[in-house]
Amino acid sequence: MSNIRHILSISGGKDSAALAFHLRDTRPEIDFEYVFFDTGEELPETYDYLKKLERALGIKVEYIHPQKSFEKLLQQYNNFLPSPTERWCTRQLKLDALIDYVKEGVIYNYVGIRADENRTGLIPHRDDFKTVMPFVEDGITLNDVKRILAENEVGLPEYYELVHDKEHNITYNRTRSGCYFCFFMRQIEWVWLLEKHPDKYWKASAFEKDGFTWIRDMSLEAFAKPANITRVKESYKKYEEYKKNHKVKNGTMMEEMDFLNRHDIDLNDFEDDQFCSMCAL
Ligand code: SF4
């Protein structure tokens, strides 16, 4: 094996999937290694999508497992669940696994950050580790990603499929790859998980111990109560209507906060995603 290695981590999300096709078409001279960091806490849709990509690209994706399972790590952290501020999960389940996997050589790590977004990633700061962002270099945006996936007949991962709730007149979906319990999820995505994968929802619930919860100040057991689900759906509906009627980009932050406060919409549900390149691309 050459001392230089080109690694593309496929997350089961749309951007890394499109990146694999884009690299095949634009850098055919490079011999890529395709890897997937399998935390063991993934959705079945993610595994299905990986299989689909392997078939469409004619590649083999290497599944990389962390040295310790999430459950073991949680015990080690005394049931202290990971959170946006204490994000031990990505480091332990993915970043360390990547460093273990590559061990030697100069690594070119390809990530699917697009030209139209401003994301950061948990990227190892080492001289032998170079991060490459082909979508940024080539000006590839969200529309291009969708086009690439459509042209290659793989489409989006199945969790993007919209759920139609007639009673509340709303549609929603999951919009991210990564662990099914990821604390970056919006509350409507927890509802999605409860409805689509109740087994995973209650597994996530069982990880809540000693007062540590995935959602701020509320256990998943309390979250699942019908009155609360209705609250989340109504809140989501109000915000979607607001977005339709206001170009959020053009509105000032003050206007938006004012609207959310006046309409009793839970701000926690609409925080900007803060995903990183290890988990969600
Ligand atoms: S997907 Fe979320 S919970 Fe899973 S490792 Fe990444 S940040 Fe942590």
Side-chain angles (χ1 to χ4, degrees):
M1 191 181 290
S2 148
N3 200 34
I4 296 182
R5 297 170 66 183
H6 298 271
I7 295 184
L8 170 54
S9 149
I10 308 248
S11 70
K14 65 184 183 328
D15 295 292
S16 60
L19 183 58
F21 290 106
H22 182 70
L23 291 174
R24 177 199 64 187
D25 295 341
T26 58
R27 286 128 172 111
E29 70 287 0
I30 298 179
D31 191 12
F32 289 101
E33 293 173 52
Y34 302 92
V35 298
F36 168 63
F37 294 100
D38 187 354
T39 64
E41 306 294 343
E42 312 285 338
L43 287 167
E45 289 92 331
T46 299
Y47 295 114
D48 292 346
Y49 197 55
L50 288 167
K51 292 273 164 267
K52 205 172 184 182
L53 293 175
E54 283 187 313
R55 282 195 298 271
L57 286 153
I59 59 167
K60 175 91 191 81
V61 176
E62 180 104 20
Y63 285 40
I64 313 282
H65 301 276
Q67 283 189 354
K68 286 187 187 165
S69 67
F70 176 79
E71 205 162 348
K72 285 230 163 70
L73 287 166
L74 190 58
Q75 282 166 9
Q76 193 177 305
Y77 279 82
N78 296 321
N79 297 323
F80 189 92
L81 290 170
S83 68
T85 48
E86 296 293 337
R87 197 174 158 186
W88 55 259
C89 49
T90 310
R91 191 160 298 282
Q92 298 267 5
L93 295 168
K94 298 189 176 181
L95 200 58
D96 287 355
L98 171 65
I99 288 167
D100 270 3
Y101 170 73
V102 294
K103 279 196 182 72
E104 57 188 37
V106 176
I107 307 305
Y108 286 83
N109 184 37
Y110 292 75
V111 298
I113 291 175
R114 301 189 310 267
D116 59 343
E117 63 181 347
N118 186 17
R119 279 185 208 260
T120 53
L122 286 183
I123 291 165
H125 293 290
R126 293 169 25 159
D127 290 344
D128 56 354
F129 224 98
K130 319 225 179 277
T131 298
V132 191
M133 299 188 193
F135 282 168
V136 175
E137 287 170 15
D138 300 346
I140 299 292
T141 62
L142 179 59
N143 282 340
D144 296 313
V145 162
K146 289 183 186 160
R147 174 184 49 76
I148 291 168
L149 295 177
E151 280 172 5
N152 286 284
E153 296 177 1
V154 289
L156 293 169
E158 207 182 309
Y159 49 74
Y160 274 99
E161 214 168 275
L162 288 173
V163 174
H164 295 268
D165 181 321
K166 284 195 186 130
E167 191 189 335
H168 295 91
N169 191 22
I170 52 174
T171 55
Y172 50 92
N173 58 357
R174 180 177 166 108
T175 56
R176 64 202 68 230
S177 54
C179 309
Y180 58 83
F181 49 54
C182 185
F183 44 80
F184 283 129
M185 287 196 295
R186 297 167 300 152
Q187 292 197 1
I188 196 72
E189 290 179 277
W190 280 107
V191 172
W192 180 93
L193 186 68
L194 176 63
E195 292 172 344
K196 285 276 184 186
H197 294 287
D199 55 326
K200 303 272 185 223
Y201 182 93
W202 292 112
K203 193 175 169 200
S205 168
F207 289 134
E208 294 184 321
K209 291 193 181 81
D210 305 335
F212 296 117
T213 54
W214 292 108
I215 299 171
R216 204 183 320 162
D217 301 330
M218 190 183 292
S219 68
L220 289 184
E221 195 177 342
F223 184 84
K225 293 199 184 313
N228 194 55
I229 298 297
T230 301
R231 175 193 67 77
V232 172
K233 288 185 174 178
E234 286 174 354
S235 180
Y236 175 77
K237 182 176 177 168
K238 284 181 199 162
Y239 189 65
E240 288 299 298
E241 281 168 1
Y242 170 74
K243 281 201 302 188
K244 233 185 272 166
N245 298 329
H246 296 73
K247 285 263 176 272
V248 172
K249 268 192 192 154
N250 297 338
T252 65
M253 180 62 91
M254 287 295 284
E255 278 168 6
E256 187 166 350
M257 295 286 283
D258 181 50
F259 176 88
L260 296 174
N261 286 332
R262 275 190 292 115
H263 291 81
D264 194 25
I265 297 176
D266 188 345
L267 283 175
N268 292 329
D269 207 14
F270 300 103
E271 280 175 348
D272 281 343
D273 283 349
Q274 304 161 60
F275 258 170
C276 84
S277 58
M278 293 288 307
C279 288
L281 296 176

mmCIF file of all heavy atoms in Angstrom, residues 81-83 181-183 185-191 201 208 211-224 228-229 231-232 266 268-269:
data_model
loop_
_atom_site.group_PDB
_atom_site.id
_atom_site.type_symbol
_atom_site.label_atom_id
_atom_site.label_comp_id
_atom_site.label_asym_id
_atom_site.label_seq_id
_atom_site.Cartn_x
_atom_site.Cartn_y
_atom_site.Cartn_z
ATOM 1 N N LEU A 81 -24.596 11.518 29.508
ATOM 2 C CA LEU A 81 -24.869 11.433 28.062
ATOM 3 C C LEU A 81 -24.091 12.509 27.310
ATOM 4 O O LEU A 81 -23.915 13.614 27.819
ATOM 5 C CB LEU A 81 -26.365 11.641 27.794
ATOM 6 C CG LEU A 81 -27.304 10.532 28.250
ATOM 7 C CD1 LEU A 81 -28.751 10.986 28.137
ATOM 8 C CD2 LEU A 81 -27.078 9.266 27.438
ATOM 9 N N PRO A 82 -23.655 12.200 26.078
ATOM 10 C CA PRO A 82 -22.983 13.246 25.297
ATOM 11 C C PRO A 82 -23.977 14.358 24.947
ATOM 12 O O PRO A 82 -25.186 14.133 24.918
ATOM 13 C CB PRO A 82 -22.511 12.510 24.039
ATOM 14 C CG PRO A 82 -23.406 11.325 23.924
ATOM 15 C CD PRO A 82 -23.802 10.944 25.315
ATOM 16 N N SER A 83 -23.464 15.530 24.691
ATOM 17 C CA SER A 83 -24.311 16.689 24.386
ATOM 18 C C SER A 83 -23.498 17.619 23.495
ATOM 19 O O SER A 83 -22.297 17.399 23.305
ATOM 20 C CB SER A 83 -24.684 17.399 25.685
ATOM 21 O OG SER A 83 -23.524 17.987 26.228
ATOM 22 N N PHE A 181 -30.039 8.472 18.148
ATOM 23 C CA PHE A 181 -30.371 9.293 19.320
ATOM 24 C C PHE A 181 -29.659 10.638 19.322
ATOM 25 O O PHE A 181 -29.587 11.297 20.344
ATOM 26 C CB PHE A 181 -30.048 8.554 20.622
ATOM 27 C CG PHE A 181 -28.670 7.942 20.675
ATOM 28 C CD1 PHE A 181 -27.542 8.693 20.433
ATOM 29 C CD2 PHE A 181 -28.517 6.589 20.956
ATOM 30 C CE1 PHE A 181 -26.272 8.140 20.487
ATOM 31 C CE2 PHE A 181 -27.260 6.009 21.016
ATOM 32 C CZ PHE A 181 -26.129 6.798 20.768
ATOM 33 N N CYS A 182 -29.110 11.036 18.187
ATOM 34 C CA CYS A 182 -28.221 12.201 18.234
ATOM 35 C C CYS A 182 -28.895 13.422 18.878
ATOM 36 O O CYS A 182 -30.005 13.816 18.516
ATOM 37 C CB CYS A 182 -27.758 12.572 16.831
ATOM 38 S SG CYS A 182 -26.563 13.906 16.926
ATOM 39 N N PHE A 183 -28.200 13.991 19.830
ATOM 40 C CA PHE A 183 -28.717 15.143 20.593
ATOM 41 C C PHE A 183 -28.856 16.391 19.733
ATOM 42 O O PHE A 183 -29.389 17.394 20.179
ATOM 43 C CB PHE A 183 -27.801 15.423 21.797
ATOM 44 C CG PHE A 183 -26.350 15.360 21.436
ATOM 45 C CD1 PHE A 183 -25.738 16.418 20.821
ATOM 46 C CD2 PHE A 183 -25.634 14.191 21.659
ATOM 47 C CE1 PHE A 183 -24.409 16.332 20.429
ATOM 48 C CE2 PHE A 183 -24.304 14.095 21.284
ATOM 49 C CZ PHE A 183 -23.683 15.175 20.667
ATOM 50 N N MET A 185 -30.642 16.394 17.124
ATOM 51 C CA MET A 185 -31.932 16.308 16.435
ATOM 52 C C MET A 185 -32.895 17.377 16.923
ATOM 53 O O MET A 185 -32.906 17.741 18.097
ATOM 54 C CB MET A 185 -32.577 14.947 16.696
ATOM 55 C CG MET A 185 -31.925 13.822 15.964
ATOM 56 S SD MET A 185 -32.971 12.355 15.926
ATOM 57 C CE MET A 185 -33.071 11.874 17.625
ATOM 58 N N ARG A 186 -33.742 17.828 16.000
ATOM 59 C CA ARG A 186 -34.844 18.707 16.380
ATOM 60 C C ARG A 186 -35.903 17.849 17.079
ATOM 61 O O ARG A 186 -35.951 16.637 16.872
ATOM 62 C CB ARG A 186 -35.443 19.363 15.128
ATOM 63 C CG ARG A 186 -34.472 20.270 14.393
ATOM 64 C CD ARG A 186 -35.015 20.614 13.022
ATOM 65 N NE ARG A 186 -35.194 19.387 12.241
ATOM 66 C CZ ARG A 186 -36.098 19.243 11.277
ATOM 67 N NH1 ARG A 186 -36.901 20.229 10.969
ATOM 68 N NH2 ARG A 186 -36.195 18.105 10.603
ATOM 69 N N GLN A 187 -36.766 18.490 17.849
ATOM 70 C CA GLN A 187 -37.754 17.707 18.595
ATOM 71 C C GLN A 187 -38.688 16.940 17.657
ATOM 72 O O GLN A 187 -39.104 15.822 17.964
ATOM 73 C CB GLN A 187 -38.543 18.615 19.536
ATOM 74 C CG GLN A 187 -37.644 19.136 20.650
ATOM 75 C CD GLN A 187 -38.410 19.699 21.830
ATOM 76 O OE1 GLN A 187 -39.630 19.703 21.861
ATOM 77 N NE2 GLN A 187 -37.688 20.205 22.806
ATOM 78 N N ILE A 188 -38.979 17.514 16.506
ATOM 79 C CA ILE A 188 -39.865 16.811 15.569
ATOM 80 C C ILE A 188 -39.181 15.535 15.056
ATOM 81 O O ILE A 188 -39.849 14.563 14.689
ATOM 82 C CB ILE A 188 -40.288 17.743 14.391
ATOM 83 C CG1 ILE A 188 -41.489 17.169 13.633
ATOM 84 C CG2 ILE A 188 -39.133 18.012 13.436
ATOM 85 C CD1 ILE A 188 -42.781 17.241 14.359
ATOM 86 N N GLU A 189 -37.863 15.513 15.092
ATOM 87 C CA GLU A 189 -37.158 14.292 14.681
ATOM 88 C C GLU A 189 -37.202 13.211 15.773
ATOM 89 O O GLU A 189 -37.151 12.027 15.473
ATOM 90 C CB GLU A 189 -35.711 14.618 14.294
ATOM 91 C CG GLU A 189 -35.660 15.411 12.987
ATOM 92 C CD GLU A 189 -34.249 15.767 12.580
ATOM 93 O OE1 GLU A 189 -33.731 16.772 13.089
ATOM 94 O OE2 GLU A 189 -33.657 15.055 11.774
ATOM 95 N N TRP A 190 -37.302 13.655 17.024
ATOM 96 C CA TRP A 190 -37.545 12.670 18.092
ATOM 97 C C TRP A 190 -38.939 12.061 17.913
ATOM 98 O O TRP A 190 -39.145 10.872 18.144
ATOM 99 C CB TRP A 190 -37.420 13.324 19.475
ATOM 100 C CG TRP A 190 -35.998 13.498 19.928
ATOM 101 C CD1 TRP A 190 -35.303 14.664 19.998
ATOM 102 C CD2 TRP A 190 -35.099 12.469 20.384
ATOM 103 N NE1 TRP A 190 -34.026 14.430 20.461
ATOM 104 C CE2 TRP A 190 -33.877 13.086 20.716
ATOM 105 C CE3 TRP A 190 -35.209 11.081 20.547
ATOM 106 C CZ2 TRP A 190 -32.776 12.378 21.192
ATOM 107 C CZ3 TRP A 190 -34.120 10.371 21.029
ATOM 108 C CH2 TRP A 190 -32.917 11.021 21.342
ATOM 109 N N VAL A 191 -39.899 12.904 17.514
ATOM 110 C CA VAL A 191 -41.247 12.390 17.241
ATOM 111 C C VAL A 191 -41.163 11.370 16.102
ATOM 112 O O VAL A 191 -41.745 10.275 16.167
ATOM 113 C CB VAL A 191 -42.215 13.541 16.867
ATOM 114 C CG1 VAL A 191 -43.555 12.992 16.394
ATOM 115 C CG2 VAL A 191 -42.404 14.480 18.048
ATOM 116 N N TYR A 201 -36.239 4.348 19.815
ATOM 117 C CA TYR A 201 -36.606 5.439 20.727
ATOM 118 C C TYR A 201 -36.488 4.960 22.174
ATOM 119 O O TYR A 201 -35.867 5.614 23.016
ATOM 120 C CB TYR A 201 -38.034 5.907 20.431
ATOM 121 C CG TYR A 201 -38.489 7.058 21.296
ATOM 122 C CD1 TYR A 201 -38.335 8.368 20.855
ATOM 123 C CD2 TYR A 201 -39.054 6.844 22.548
ATOM 124 C CE1 TYR A 201 -38.733 9.435 21.651
ATOM 125 C CE2 TYR A 201 -39.457 7.891 23.351
ATOM 126 C CZ TYR A 201 -39.300 9.190 22.894
ATOM 127 O OH TYR A 201 -39.688 10.254 23.687
ATOM 128 N N GLU A 208 -31.032 6.944 29.426
ATOM 129 C CA GLU A 208 -31.190 8.102 30.324
ATOM 130 C C GLU A 208 -31.218 7.608 31.767
ATOM 131 O O GLU A 208 -32.143 6.909 32.167
ATOM 132 C CB GLU A 208 -32.497 8.844 30.005
ATOM 133 C CG GLU A 208 -32.497 9.495 28.638
ATOM 134 C CD GLU A 208 -33.763 10.308 28.383
ATOM 135 O OE1 GLU A 208 -34.857 9.869 28.793
ATOM 136 O OE2 GLU A 208 -33.655 11.380 27.770
ATOM 137 N N GLY A 211 -30.766 11.263 35.976
ATOM 138 C CA GLY A 211 -31.169 12.636 35.640
ATOM 139 C C GLY A 211 -30.576 13.160 34.340
ATOM 140 O O GLY A 211 -30.872 14.283 33.933
ATOM 141 N N PHE A 212 -29.741 12.370 33.667
ATOM 142 C CA PHE A 212 -29.206 12.818 32.368
ATOM 143 C C PHE A 212 -30.235 12.512 31.288
ATOM 144 O O PHE A 212 -30.731 11.377 31.199
ATOM 145 C CB PHE A 212 -27.883 12.115 32.040
ATOM 146 C CG PHE A 212 -26.782 12.455 32.999
ATOM 147 C CD1 PHE A 212 -26.204 11.475 33.799
ATOM 148 C CD2 PHE A 212 -26.322 13.760 33.112
ATOM 149 C CE1 PHE A 212 -25.193 11.789 34.699
ATOM 150 C CE2 PHE A 212 -25.311 14.083 34.007
ATOM 151 C CZ PHE A 212 -24.742 13.093 34.805
ATOM 152 N N THR A 213 -30.558 13.509 30.474
ATOM 153 C CA THR A 213 -31.576 13.323 29.432
ATOM 154 C C THR A 213 -31.036 13.801 28.085
ATOM 155 O O THR A 213 -30.161 14.654 28.018
ATOM 156 C CB THR A 213 -32.853 14.123 29.768
ATOM 157 O OG1 THR A 213 -32.484 15.497 30.006
ATOM 158 C CG2 THR A 213 -33.565 13.573 30.977
ATOM 159 N N TRP A 214 -31.584 13.246 27.010
ATOM 160 C CA TRP A 214 -31.171 13.643 25.659
ATOM 161 C C TRP A 214 -31.688 15.043 25.326
ATOM 162 O O TRP A 214 -31.012 15.828 24.694
ATOM 163 C CB TRP A 214 -31.708 12.654 24.615
ATOM 164 C CG TRP A 214 -31.085 11.305 24.684
ATOM 165 C CD1 TRP A 214 -31.664 10.152 25.139
ATOM 166 C CD2 TRP A 214 -29.746 10.942 24.290
ATOM 167 N NE1 TRP A 214 -30.782 9.116 25.050
ATOM 168 C CE2 TRP A 214 -29.605 9.556 24.525
ATOM 169 C CE3 TRP A 214 -28.665 11.646 23.751
ATOM 170 C CZ2 TRP A 214 -28.424 8.868 24.244
ATOM 171 C CZ3 TRP A 214 -27.497 10.956 23.470
ATOM 172 C CH2 TRP A 214 -27.377 9.597 23.716
ATOM 173 N N ILE A 215 -32.959 15.296 25.724
ATOM 174 C CA ILE A 215 -33.571 16.596 25.467
ATOM 175 C C ILE A 215 -33.478 17.389 26.767
ATOM 176 O O ILE A 215 -33.738 16.833 27.843
ATOM 177 C CB ILE A 215 -35.056 16.429 25.075
ATOM 178 C CG1 ILE A 215 -35.163 15.599 23.800
ATOM 179 C CG2 ILE A 215 -35.738 17.781 24.895
ATOM 180 C CD1 ILE A 215 -36.583 15.201 23.439
ATOM 181 N N ARG A 216 -33.154 18.644 26.631
ATOM 182 C CA ARG A 216 -32.941 19.432 27.838
ATOM 183 C C ARG A 216 -34.177 19.426 28.757
ATOM 184 O O ARG A 216 -35.297 19.686 28.306
ATOM 185 C CB ARG A 216 -32.603 20.882 27.452
ATOM 186 C CG ARG A 216 -31.814 21.586 28.550
ATOM 187 C CD ARG A 216 -31.531 23.025 28.212
ATOM 188 N NE ARG A 216 -31.173 23.216 26.816
ATOM 189 C CZ ARG A 216 -31.223 24.401 26.212
ATOM 190 N NH1 ARG A 216 -31.609 25.460 26.857
ATOM 191 N NH2 ARG A 216 -30.888 24.524 24.948
ATOM 192 N N ASP A 217 -33.978 19.096 30.008
ATOM 193 C CA ASP A 217 -35.013 19.147 31.049
ATOM 194 C C ASP A 217 -36.222 18.237 30.803
ATOM 195 O O ASP A 217 -37.308 18.500 31.335
ATOM 196 C CB ASP A 217 -35.546 20.582 31.228
ATOM 197 C CG ASP A 217 -34.437 21.540 31.609
ATOM 198 O OD1 ASP A 217 -33.486 21.080 32.267
ATOM 199 O OD2 ASP A 217 -34.521 22.725 31.241
ATOM 200 N N MET A 218 -36.081 17.230 29.968
ATOM 201 C CA MET A 218 -37.218 16.336 29.772
ATOM 202 C C MET A 218 -36.739 14.932 29.398
ATOM 203 O O MET A 218 -35.911 14.783 28.494
ATOM 204 C CB MET A 218 -38.121 16.861 28.650
ATOM 205 C CG MET A 218 -39.433 16.101 28.582
ATOM 206 S SD MET A 218 -40.496 16.606 27.228
ATOM 207 C CE MET A 218 -40.963 18.228 27.712
ATOM 208 N N SER A 219 -37.262 13.941 30.097
ATOM 209 C CA SER A 219 -36.879 12.563 29.749
ATOM 210 C C SER A 219 -37.640 12.159 28.489
ATOM 211 O O SER A 219 -38.690 12.739 28.162
ATOM 212 C CB SER A 219 -37.257 11.619 30.886
ATOM 213 O OG SER A 219 -38.671 11.553 30.976
ATOM 214 N N LEU A 220 -37.142 11.133 27.817
ATOM 215 C CA LEU A 220 -37.857 10.665 26.624
ATOM 216 C C LEU A 220 -39.193 10.037 27.016
ATOM 217 O O LEU A 220 -40.140 10.048 26.233
ATOM 218 C CB LEU A 220 -36.992 9.674 25.836
ATOM 219 C CG LEU A 220 -35.791 10.281 25.104
ATOM 220 C CD1 LEU A 220 -35.063 9.223 24.280
ATOM 221 C CD2 LEU A 220 -36.199 11.434 24.182
ATOM 222 N N GLU A 221 -39.263 9.511 28.223
ATOM 223 C CA GLU A 221 -40.536 8.946 28.686
ATOM 224 C C GLU A 221 -41.591 10.057 28.761
ATOM 225 O O GLU A 221 -42.718 9.897 28.288
ATOM 226 C CB GLU A 221 -40.333 8.298 30.055
ATOM 227 C CG GLU A 221 -41.473 7.401 30.410
ATOM 228 C CD GLU A 221 -41.264 6.689 31.730
ATOM 229 O OE1 GLU A 221 -40.114 6.621 32.216
ATOM 230 O OE2 GLU A 221 -42.276 6.222 32.270
ATOM 231 N N ALA A 222 -41.212 11.193 29.312
ATOM 232 C CA ALA A 222 -42.151 12.318 29.404
ATOM 233 C C ALA A 222 -42.425 12.891 28.006
ATOM 234 O O ALA A 222 -43.569 13.244 27.679
ATOM 235 C CB ALA A 222 -41.570 13.403 30.308
ATOM 236 N N PHE A 223 -41.395 12.937 27.202
ATOM 237 C CA PHE A 223 -41.540 13.507 25.852
ATOM 238 C C PHE A 223 -42.588 12.733 25.042
ATOM 239 O O PHE A 223 -43.326 13.312 24.249
ATOM 240 C CB PHE A 223 -40.188 13.467 25.130
ATOM 241 C CG PHE A 223 -40.191 14.100 23.774
ATOM 242 C CD1 PHE A 223 -40.024 15.476 23.631
ATOM 243 C CD2 PHE A 223 -40.360 13.337 22.632
ATOM 244 C CE1 PHE A 223 -40.033 16.066 22.370
ATOM 245 C CE2 PHE A 223 -40.369 13.918 21.374
ATOM 246 C CZ PHE A 223 -40.204 15.288 21.244
ATOM 247 N N ALA A 224 -42.646 11.417 25.265
ATOM 248 C CA ALA A 224 -43.516 10.560 24.440
ATOM 249 C C ALA A 224 -44.991 10.685 24.786
ATOM 250 O O ALA A 224 -45.843 10.128 24.082
ATOM 251 C CB ALA A 224 -43.071 9.110 24.591
ATOM 252 N N ASN A 228 -47.641 15.969 24.845
ATOM 253 C CA ASN A 228 -46.378 16.591 24.466
ATOM 254 C C ASN A 228 -46.120 16.466 22.970
ATOM 255 O O ASN A 228 -45.633 17.391 22.319
ATOM 256 C CB ASN A 228 -45.240 15.953 25.271
ATOM 257 C CG ASN A 228 -44.007 16.793 25.168
ATOM 258 O OD1 ASN A 228 -44.039 17.985 25.471
ATOM 259 N ND2 ASN A 228 -42.934 16.216 24.664
ATOM 260 N N ILE A 229 -46.455 15.298 22.429
ATOM 261 C CA ILE A 229 -46.278 15.087 20.982
ATOM 262 C C ILE A 229 -47.135 16.119 20.233
ATOM 263 O O ILE A 229 -46.695 16.736 19.262
ATOM 264 C CB ILE A 229 -46.690 13.644 20.575
ATOM 265 C CG1 ILE A 229 -45.790 12.627 21.286
ATOM 266 C CG2 ILE A 229 -46.653 13.468 19.059
ATOM 267 C CD1 ILE A 229 -44.325 12.669 20.954
ATOM 268 N N ARG A 231 -48.031 19.034 21.347
ATOM 269 C CA ARG A 231 -47.367 20.345 21.518
ATOM 270 C C ARG A 231 -46.245 20.522 20.492
ATOM 271 O O ARG A 231 -46.146 21.559 19.833
ATOM 272 C CB ARG A 231 -46.794 20.454 22.938
ATOM 273 C CG ARG A 231 -45.977 21.713 23.186
ATOM 274 C CD ARG A 231 -45.171 21.642 24.470
ATOM 275 N NE ARG A 231 -44.098 20.652 24.462
ATOM 276 C CZ ARG A 231 -42.931 20.806 23.842
ATOM 277 N NH1 ARG A 231 -42.682 21.903 23.150
ATOM 278 N NH2 ARG A 231 -42.009 19.854 23.880
ATOM 279 N N VAL A 232 -45.437 19.470 20.328
ATOM 280 C CA VAL A 232 -44.299 19.570 19.398
ATOM 281 C C VAL A 232 -44.814 19.750 17.962
ATOM 282 O O VAL A 232 -44.314 20.581 17.202
ATOM 283 C CB VAL A 232 -43.392 18.317 19.496
ATOM 284 C CG1 VAL A 232 -42.326 18.331 18.412
ATOM 285 C CG2 VAL A 232 -42.741 18.253 20.863
ATOM 286 N N ASP A 266 -41.124 26.395 20.855
ATOM 287 C CA ASP A 266 -39.940 26.020 21.620
ATOM 288 C C ASP A 266 -38.674 26.322 20.821
ATOM 289 O O ASP A 266 -38.417 25.708 19.789
ATOM 290 C CB ASP A 266 -40.025 24.522 21.930
ATOM 291 C CG ASP A 266 -38.937 24.102 22.890
ATOM 292 O OD1 ASP A 266 -37.984 24.887 23.081
ATOM 293 O OD2 ASP A 266 -39.054 22.999 23.436
ATOM 294 N N ASN A 268 -35.722 25.587 21.436
ATOM 295 C CA ASN A 268 -34.766 24.483 21.357
ATOM 296 C C ASN A 268 -34.971 23.658 20.096
ATOM 297 O O ASN A 268 -34.083 22.980 19.629
ATOM 298 C CB ASN A 268 -34.923 23.529 22.549
ATOM 299 C CG ASN A 268 -34.501 24.213 23.809
ATOM 300 O OD1 ASN A 268 -33.635 25.060 23.777
ATOM 301 N ND2 ASN A 268 -35.151 23.848 24.905
ATOM 302 N N ASP A 269 -36.209 23.727 19.594
ATOM 303 C CA ASP A 269 -36.516 22.890 18.445
ATOM 304 C C ASP A 269 -35.951 23.455 17.152
ATOM 305 O O ASP A 269 -35.938 22.785 16.139
ATOM 306 C CB ASP A 269 -38.033 22.758 18.311
ATOM 307 C CG ASP A 269 -38.397 21.460 17.612
ATOM 308 O OD1 ASP A 269 -37.509 20.601 17.508
ATOM 309 O OD2 ASP A 269 -39.541 21.342 17.177
#
